[in-house]
Amino acid sequence: MLRDANTTAIFQVESDGMKKLLAKLQPDRFEDIIAVLALYRPGPLNSGMVDDFIKRKRGEQAIDYFHDSLKDCLSPTYGVIVYQEQVMQIAQTIAGYSLGGADLLRRAMGKKKPEEMAQQREIFIKGALDKGHSQALATRLFDLMEKFAEYGFNKSHTAAYAVLTYQTAWLKSHHTAEFMAATLSADMDDTDKVAFFMADARANGVRVLAPDINASNYRFEPVRKKSEQSPEHDVVQIYYGLGAVRGVGESAVLNILSCRREAGAFKDIFDFCSRIDRRVVNKRAIEALVKAGAFDRIHQNRAQLLAAVGLAVQAADQAQANTHQAGLFGGLDDDDSNAHKIEMPKAAPWSERQQLLEEKQALGFCFSGHLFTPYAQEIRRFVSTPLNRISPSRDPIWVTGVVSQSRGQMTKRGMLRIVEIDDGSAKLEVTIFSELWDRYRQVIKVDEPLIILARIENDDFSGGYRGQATEILTLGEARIKFSLGIRLRIAPDAAASAALRGLLDPWRAPRSGCPIFLRMLRDGAECDIQLPEDWRVRPEEEFMRLLTQHFDQESVEIIYR
């Protein structure tokens, strides 16, 4: 796991820089873990110590122990002085220092006081000569010790850290679902971390199940199920914790769990509202649970469920009032099940994009998919390279993704904008300078797709890539640029023509828009007719939605080159 740099959530080794170092180093023993924790600091990284360590471990550079008596001391680090304890051992072995004297030398090197260092140099060389070593060896060793002492780390400290690193790596490797459930629960209030850790859990083969009003608890919890393919093996999954749903709160979740323990699973939204304490679980919390998909196993249409929340709360309040009234007047002939007989309001299911946006509002991220997915098939017709396959380029290339965040940054050239796009395969930060930003600021919106012509370059800060925008297109503009037009299959009659005119008219963009082709079928023969230039249109997302709503998906086609 450490050699594969699969170290997300593992103590001390989860940063991108540490992952790259582990991938290069390929640790295969506990001493390597101790060393890598000591080496991953600015001093060793910039001094060349880390490169020497890696090359020597790989056998690409000769190991020099300086003297045979130092082999035991330096062999764990391939002859590289990494720890403060090694400085002390060298002083004891070569120059005859006592343990206390060696500690004074370590302190002197740490303080870097010239007068103390001069005094210690004299003591070290004299001690080495007294033990029969040459002055050249003594001088060379002291110079090296003095250099590495600037970066030397306390081994006892880093060894203790390494134990925790090994333990957390072992837990992730052997009990992945349990470890990731605990990790998710520890940061369940931070939606960015929840999304990050959930992606890592999935990458490690652990399925994270959606929030479930009848199965989830407050925290993320692993659940074992028998594998259908291999009944002798268990499949471990993680149930999403209800406490990680925004706007619900711990007291509301605890009340829901209490009701579930007392009377069993909730049958529907009306049963749910009739049993919970609505002073604790308010309407906003119920709506958040619906948007998060917590009721999906008892009703699939989230739009319908959301529309029913008000009715369910009202019915529960009415039932409670009737109960109080019955208590005052000795009972009424009310049927307690009336609340469950209320018909669900009619509501069309959400589109894939709408469902993802509702999930993002409730969970802080899109749980069941990616916002780029509804556009991917079309956009890949003209931007074929996903973000995880781009590389630095001298000439600008087209990149695309959904805008995940946008922030301003002041530089010597003035205000610029950093826009992050995400296509589900990777993320890319793109710099947009003020002239371009002023032209497109109204259309660059979070959660909307964007097509950018950008120069790709290495990003030394993140270790990945970044882009510099030279041209920006909305999806509608990209359709105009990269397509030949829109083809509509319609019936050759006056009613269809009149309806089409009404649809096209508000979106007309003579000469600058997208051409319209009509494919008509008459007497078993098809023919294509291009409408005049005055009937070109702006192919924005709303216009395309209206077209597919009026005709059908198969009757509307964007023709790409």
Side-chain angles (χ1 to χ4, degrees), residues 401-509:
V402 169
V403 177
S404 52
Q405 58 177 298
S406 173
R407 67 180 188 276
Q409 184 173 315
M410 181 60 71
T411 67
K412 292 179 181 179
R413 293 182 57 178
M415 179 64 75
L416 56 78
R417 203 77 184 173
I418 307 294
V419 171
E420 183 184 70
I421 57 174
D422 180 358
D423 70 349
S425 71
K427 296 181 180 181
L428 178 71
E429 284 194 345
V430 180
T431 301
I432 303 174
F433 289 103
S434 56
E435 304 84 13
L436 200 58
W437 170 251
D438 289 341
R439 285 166 50 197
Y440 286 95
R441 63 191 310 159
Q442 298 301 322
V443 297
I444 299 177
K445 300 175 181 177
V446 172
D447 297 333
E448 295 291 338
L450 208 60
I451 297 90
I452 303 174
L453 186 64
R455 290 187 181 87
I456 307 301
E457 54 194 29
N458 289 309
D459 185 357
D460 295 333
F461 179 77
S462 69
Y465 304 124
R466 66 182 304 109
Q468 182 177 318
T470 60
E471 186 179 349
I472 296 173
L473 299 174
T474 64
L475 181 52
E477 290 170 334
R479 286 168 175 155
I480 295 172
K481 184 179 182 71
F482 296 108
S483 78
L484 297 173
I486 300 172
R487 179 187 289 135
L488 303 174
R489 290 176 173 83
I490 68 168
D493 56 53
S497 298
L500 180 62
R501 179 185 293 270
L503 280 170
L504 299 183
D505 198 49
W507 301 91
R508 288 171 65 179

Side-chain angles (χ1 to χ4, degrees), residues 126-146:
K126 182 179 183 304
L129 292 174
D130 290 345
K131 293 196 70 173
H133 300 297
S134 68
Q135 183 161 347
L137 175 64
T139 302
R140 182 188 177 197
L141 279 172
F142 193 89
D143 289 343
L144 284 170
M145 289 161 57
E146 188 175 18

Side-chain angles (χ1 to χ4, degrees), residues 220-239:
F220 292 82
E221 291 190 1
V223 56
R224 290 187 175 272
K225 294 184 177 180
K226 290 294 181 183
S227 171
E228 294 180 1
Q229 290 77 19
S230 304
E232 67 276 9
H233 295 109
D234 288 343
V235 175
V236 187
Q237 301 171 328
I238 297 174
Y239 264 120

Side-chain angles (χ1 to χ4, degrees), residues 171-201:
L171 286 169
K172 184 175 180 180
S173 178
H174 295 278
H175 302 279
T176 311
E178 290 83 356
F179 177 79
M180 294 309 301
T183 301
L184 284 160
S185 295
D187 287 300
M188 63 194 302
D189 293 330
D190 187 330
T191 54
D192 289 339
K193 286 187 176 181
V194 168
F196 179 69
F197 290 136
M198 197 180 77
D200 186 68

